Amino acid sequence: ECLRLSDVLARTGLNKTTALRFLSTLVSCELLVRVDNTKYKLGVRRLGKKRFRFGYGMQSAEFGFSRAVTESLQRSAEAADIDLLVLDNADNPKTALRNADVFARERVDLVIESQTDTRIAAQICARFKTAAIPVIALEIPLPQTVFYGANNSQAGLVAGRYLARWSEAHWQGQVDELLLLELPKAGQVPNARILGSMLGVIERLVWLPERQIKILRTSGHYENTVSLTRNHLRRSRSQRILVAAINDPCALGALQAFRDAGREEHCAIVGQNASPDAHAELAQKDSRLIGSVGYFPERYGEGVIPLALDMLAGRSVPPATFIRHEMVTAANLRGFYPAIPT
């Protein structure tokens, strides 16, 4: 049974300060565990029940999306009485390989891996295979692992169709340029969201010629995208530019470049992830970040941790579990995230 603080007060007759002190002590002694930071339940394990230890290689603490996924996994792991060892891959292949060695050395029961560089995918998997550690790959598929994350083609179509509809509503469908911000190092699967974005645009704007479609090869980071987009705008005189980005940092970087050039009204941008990085911008009136495809990282733990437990119990699991995507815009942002200030 999970109890709120108000339940504890009602049942014990203690005052709030005393009850909080008792609860904090019991949590620190592992006799209680917090659930969703608002409830408490018994933390005593049945005799003979093994406490699992999972490793989680987060993509990078730099990204709001990655931080939100991490917090979600930590909440769900705590609720399931799982010890979660979190290491930051820092979006760096050498760091990710070192972290894989740490997980193998620590003999964790399962690894949840999130890293973007496909060049080291085989090496990462070889380390875990040698150590007989099962793996769930988040967002970026890894060979011979279970996948959990985006349906990239579908997410791209959602973005492209929304960009096209926006252009029809605001520019009468007249577009001078479609700018695609891709991430080559992530490989073909994640970049399917860029192909999907292009297809989503041209299925409505069927007349858009190939010469008006431009691609920038980004690193997936904000500053890099600012620089690349600035250089592009020095060459481009287009007045109506639709921008489809591989992630929110790239979307925000492109937006900053348009602002720096005094050309913000020339663009309409859609990101991917609808991560905390994008929330503040989406909340701004008349922002040209017109939307971001929702991945809802704050819910990842609710899907990943049960999936991991099924794997360890020997139950059959699907090779890939895809999240459901929805377009997040200024109009519906607070419906998804009510705590965002007005």
Side-chain angles (χ1 to χ4, degrees), residues 289-303:
L289 179 66
I290 62 171
S292 182
V293 180
Y295 289 53
F296 309 104
E298 66 280 359
R299 305 176 190 170
Y300 269 45
E302 300 167 13

Side-chain angles (χ1 to χ4, degrees), residues 189-211:
V189 175
N191 280 294
R193 67 184 72 164
I194 293 301
L195 176 60
S197 297
M198 181 182 71
L199 294 175
V201 170
I202 63 178
E203 76 176 10
R204 295 186 68 93
L205 308 182
V206 295
W207 52 265
L208 190 69
E210 184 178 347
R211 61 183 172 78

Side-chain angles (χ1 to χ4, degrees), residues 180-185 215-220 224-225 228:
L180 305 172
L181 307 179
E182 67 174 12
L183 180 61
K185 71 177 182 180
I215 299 174
L216 297 183
R217 299 163 63 88
T218 78
S219 69
N224 168 259
T225 309
L228 289 174

Side-chain angles (χ1 to χ4, degrees), residues 65 68-69 139 148-160 162 193 197 245-248 270-276 278-279 282 289-300 322-330 332-333 336-337:
F65 177 82
V69 170
E139 292 305 308
Y148 186 97
N151 184 334
N152 289 286
S153 296
Q154 184 61 36
L157 284 171
V158 170
Y162 189 76
R193 67 184 72 164
S197 297
I246 190 77
N247 61 19
D248 286 335
V270 166
Q272 296 275 344
N273 297 156
S275 63
H279 292 172
L282 285 171
L289 179 66
I290 62 171
S292 182
V293 180
Y295 289 53
F296 309 104
E298 66 280 359
R299 305 176 190 170
Y300 269 45
F322 298 111
I323 59 174
R324 180 181 177 183
H325 299 287
E326 296 184 61
M327 178 60 68
V328 179
T329 68
N332 64 17
L333 175 64
F336 291 115
Y337 300 101

Side-chain angles (χ1 to χ4, degrees), residues 58-114:
M58 68 185 297
Q59 181 185 350
S60 175
E62 173 188 346
F63 302 129
F65 177 82
S66 187
R67 295 193 300 272
V69 170
T70 302
E71 292 168 4
S72 176
L73 288 171
Q74 288 173 325
R75 288 194 302 270
S76 293
E78 183 179 27
D81 195 28
I82 294 167
D83 182 20
L84 186 65
L85 173 59
V86 179
L87 299 178
D88 186 356
N89 286 333
D91 201 29
N92 181 285
K94 292 182 179 179
T95 303
L97 287 169
R98 285 198 300 269
N99 289 342
D101 288 333
V102 172
F103 291 140
R105 188 167 60 247
E106 291 290 325
R107 298 182 180 180
V108 297
D109 296 293
L110 178 141
V111 167
I112 303 163
E113 183 68 18
S114 180

Side-chain angles (χ1 to χ4, degrees), residues 10-280:
R11 294 189 186 191
T12 63
L14 295 170
N15 64 55
K16 184 176 180 179
T17 301
T18 302
L20 279 172
R21 187 165 63 246
F22 283 160
L23 290 169
S24 296
T25 300
L26 292 170
V27 168
S28 67
C29 294
E30 298 187 352
L31 296 175
L32 293 181
V33 294
R34 287 192 180 91
V35 180
D36 295 333
N37 289 324
T38 61
K39 301 175 184 177
Y40 300 85
K41 74 172 184 177
L42 287 176
V44 180
R45 296 184 295 278
R46 294 190 300 272
L47 291 176
K49 179 184 176 184
K50 177 181 178 180
R51 187 180 193 190
F52 288 119
R53 192 180 193 207
F54 292 175
Y56 169 49
M58 68 185 297
Q59 181 185 350
S60 175
E62 173 188 346
F63 302 129
F65 177 82
S66 187
R67 295 193 300 272
V69 170
T70 302
E71 292 168 4
S72 176
L73 288 171
Q74 288 173 325
R75 288 194 302 270
S76 293
E78 183 179 27
D81 195 28
I82 294 167
D83 182 20
L84 186 65
L85 173 59
V86 179
L87 299 178
D88 186 356
N89 286 333
D91 201 29
N92 181 285
K94 292 182 179 179
T95 303
L97 287 169
R98 285 198 300 269
N99 289 342
D101 288 333
V102 172
F103 291 140
R105 188 167 60 247
E106 291 290 325
R107 298 182 180 180
V108 297
D109 296 293
L110 178 141
V111 167
I112 303 163
E113 183 68 18
S114 180
Q115 74 86 28
T116 56
D117 201 319
T118 56
R119 295 172 299 179
I120 64 163
Q123 297 176 65
I124 289 275
C125 291
R127 282 162 163 78
F128 295 140
K129 184 176 181 180
T130 299
I133 299 174
V135 180
I136 296 175
L138 289 191
E139 292 305 308
I140 310 297
L142 295 173
Q144 299 178 340
T145 66
V146 171
F147 175 80
Y148 186 97
N151 184 334
N152 289 286
S153 296
Q154 184 61 36
L157 284 171
V158 170
R161 288 165 178 165
Y162 189 76
L163 280 168
R165 289 196 300 270
W166 188 95
S167 75
E168 290 169 340
H170 294 82
W171 292 339
Q172 292 75 50
Q174 299 303 307
V175 174
D176 301 323
E177 187 177 299
L178 172 60
L179 182 61
L180 305 172
L181 307 179
E182 67 174 12
L183 180 61
K185 71 177 182 180
Q188 293 182 347
V189 175
N191 280 294
R193 67 184 72 164
I194 293 301
L195 176 60
S197 297
M198 181 182 71
L199 294 175
V201 170
I202 63 178
E203 76 176 10
R204 295 186 68 93
L205 308 182
V206 295
W207 52 265
L208 190 69
E210 184 178 347
R211 61 183 172 78
Q212 290 177 236
I213 301 174
K214 311 295 182 181
I215 299 174
L216 297 183
R217 299 163 63 88
T218 78
S219 69
H221 292 258
Y222 173 87
E223 292 293 348
N224 168 259
T225 309
V226 172
S227 177
L228 289 174
T229 309
R230 280 175 181 164
N231 290 337
H232 176 74
L233 291 177
R234 292 189 186 105
R235 300 186 299 271
S236 174
R237 301 274 72 85
S238 298
Q239 300 293 302
R240 296 175 293 262
I241 304 176
L242 298 180
V243 182
I246 190 77
N247 61 19
D248 286 335
C250 288
L252 293 169
L255 179 61
Q256 186 60 50
F258 275 92
R259 285 174 173 162
D260 292 344
R263 297 174 60 183
E264 186 174 359
E265 73 279 4
H266 292 176
C267 72
I269 302 173
V270 166
Q272 296 275 344
N273 297 156
S275 63
D277 296 321
H279 292 172

